[in-house]
Structure formats: C-alpha cells, structure tokens
Amino acid sequence: MRIARFSTGEGVSFGVVEGGPGEEFVSMVAGHPFGQVQFTGERFPLSQVKLLSPMLPSKVVAIGRNYAEHAAELGNQVPDEPLIFMKPSTSVIGHGEDIAYPTTLSDRVDYEGELAVVIGRLCREVPVERVKDVVFGYTCANDVTARDLQKKDVQFTRAKSFDTFCPLGPWIQTDLDAADLALTTTVNGEIRQSGRTSQLIHDIPALVAYVSAVMTLIPGDIILTGTPAGVGPLEIGDEVSVGIEGIGTLTNKVVSRD
C-alpha cells in the first residue's frame, strides 16, 4: 500500500493512494495507519489534496558515508560501523513544500537523495533477523546539508538541522523489498545522482539493528540510509527531485529563507 498523509483544507488525515498515474485517488483511513487499516469510505482525487510529510517522526536518525563512492567523493574513509547523526523533527517537510536556503548563514547547501526507512512498532535491540517485523515501510528523502557548515563544525548537527532540511515523501510504500532499488536525484530535470540500494555498505537490517541497540525507536521514526555519489549544490529557484523505484518521486523547490 501507498500510505499518504494529506490535507483537504478541513484537517489532516491518512489515506491509501490508489489508481494509476494521472488517475490516483486517496481513500481516507480512520485514525493512524499502523495496525489494521480501516477505511472511512471517503475518497478524494489526489490532485485535489495537499500531500504532507508522510509521518511526523519523533526523531530522524541518519547514516553517514554508507555508500563507498560518496565517502570517496568527499575525501572520507568508509567507517567500520554505521556513522549515526540526528536531524530534528522540525526539519521535516513534505512533497511540494519549499526548502528554505539560509543565505545569511551558509554559502553551500547540497542535496542528498536517500531511501528512508519508516519504523512501525515500538522497539529496542532488534535482532537483524526480526527487523522486517518493525519496519512499516519506505519513502523518499532528501538529507539537505549546509556543506560549508558541516566542514567548519566537524560534527553534523548545525549543517543538517535547519528547518525544511529533511523533505520526506510523497508517501510510504509498505509492500516493498528495498534491498535493490534504483535511486535517482535530479536538479531542474538533470540527473545528478544515480545509485542502487544494493550498494549500501551497511544494509537496512544491519542499520535498524544497530540504531535500535542505541535508542528506542517508536512508530513513525525515520532512519535515513545514506546517499550515493553525486551530491552537489543547490541554488535558489532550483527544483530537486528524489525518485526511488517502487515508491515514487519527492520534489521540492529551493527558496531563500532570508
């Protein structure tokens, strides 16, 4: 199922996106989509609703340098263990919302297209063989980064944490084998990143097991799995899209925050 979080102008709801390209509609579900999905009977054309970030996570846990070629392009060594950093929940936006470039604080803001894992159950210390039981689904993500601040600060917090620096969407795909999916990032229609999730150094089961050994994960939490090679700068007015096979395409425009 494709689970979307959306607004009709009369409130925020979850729904299941159905139908083919150009004919999609959203069937509203009662309450939260975790567990048994119950339809309300209300349906809306997808073109007539506003898609929001598919989840409002309590935390976004991101993994750095998890594609070898990306680590190399930034002159970094591949870590022996997953490199964890955090993005605040306030950085999350949805498909179609604007990325706000903090021009007075940064001179270099980069895109980083990624596969995002959505947690579906309260969990801690999850064994690798049981990871599939706690994963709700997958969505597209853009780990927007103020690259100059990342280099200046050494640690990642400020560079990764600006409001709007974590676009997610357009929805969550719950029925998917994410082990080998094509991932493409485009800027103004030009391909900038092209990779596959099979190139992950630490795969999804390993990442969920590793992160959950450190912290409790709750339903809706997000794990960003890393970005392939080809990261680069964004400019005000750019339109950046992250497309992942079997999920869809997340698109956002860059505007000035200042």
Side-chain angles (χ1 to χ4, degrees), residues 35-50:
Q36 184 67 38
V37 171
Q38 295 184 335
F39 292 99
T40 67
E42 294 185 86
R43 302 200 317 179
F44 305 91
L46 184 62
S47 60
Q48 294 182 18
V49 304
K50 176 178 173 56

Side-chain angles (χ1 to χ4, degrees), residues 39-204:
F39 292 99
T40 67
E42 294 185 86
R43 302 200 317 179
F44 305 91
L46 184 62
S47 60
Q48 294 182 18
V49 304
K50 176 178 173 56
L51 290 176
L52 306 173
S53 61
M55 283 291 160
L56 289 178
S58 76
K59 53 186 172 291
V60 178
V61 185
I63 309 298
R65 304 170 191 170
N66 202 27
Y67 286 80
E69 291 184 2
H70 169 61
E73 74 179 344
L74 296 183
N76 297 313
Q77 296 293 320
V78 174
D80 293 331
E81 297 179 309
L83 175 62
I84 294 178
F85 61 92
M86 305 282 284
K87 294 174 79 80
S89 59
T90 49
S91 67
V92 173
I93 58 173
H95 171 75
E97 297 186 77
D98 293 336
I99 297 168
Y101 195 129
T103 54
T104 62
L105 295 174
S106 175
D107 295 323
R108 169 74 183 261
V109 170
D110 284 11
Y111 55 83
E112 293 190 8
E114 308 199 10
L115 173 72
V117 180
V118 184
I119 299 299
R121 293 175 56 184
L122 181 72
C123 60
R124 182 168 64 91
E125 298 179 348
V126 182
V128 168
E129 61 271 16
R130 293 198 58 194
V131 164
K132 65 180 182 299
D133 298 332
V134 305
V135 171
F136 180 65
Y138 304 91
T139 191
C140 306
N142 191 344
D143 177 20
V144 182
T145 304
R147 191 71 68 199
D148 53 344
L149 300 184
Q150 184 183 23
K151 292 180 180 179
K152 179 180 180 181
D153 295 350
V154 181
Q155 52 83 27
F156 294 179
T157 303
R158 182 165 62 139
K160 302 282 190 175
S161 296
F162 286 96
D163 292 353
T164 76
F165 270 27
C166 189
L168 298 173
W171 41 63
I172 299 167
Q173 176 59 260
T174 62
D175 303 317
L176 188 68
D177 180 353
D180 185 26
L181 303 176
L183 185 158
T184 303
T185 304
T186 65
V187 178
N188 301 324
E190 178 184 340
I191 295 176
R192 300 290 180 84
Q193 289 182 287
S194 181
R196 302 194 68 87
T197 57
S198 56
Q199 297 170 324
L200 289 169
I201 297 167
H202 305 286
D203 64 14
I204 292 163

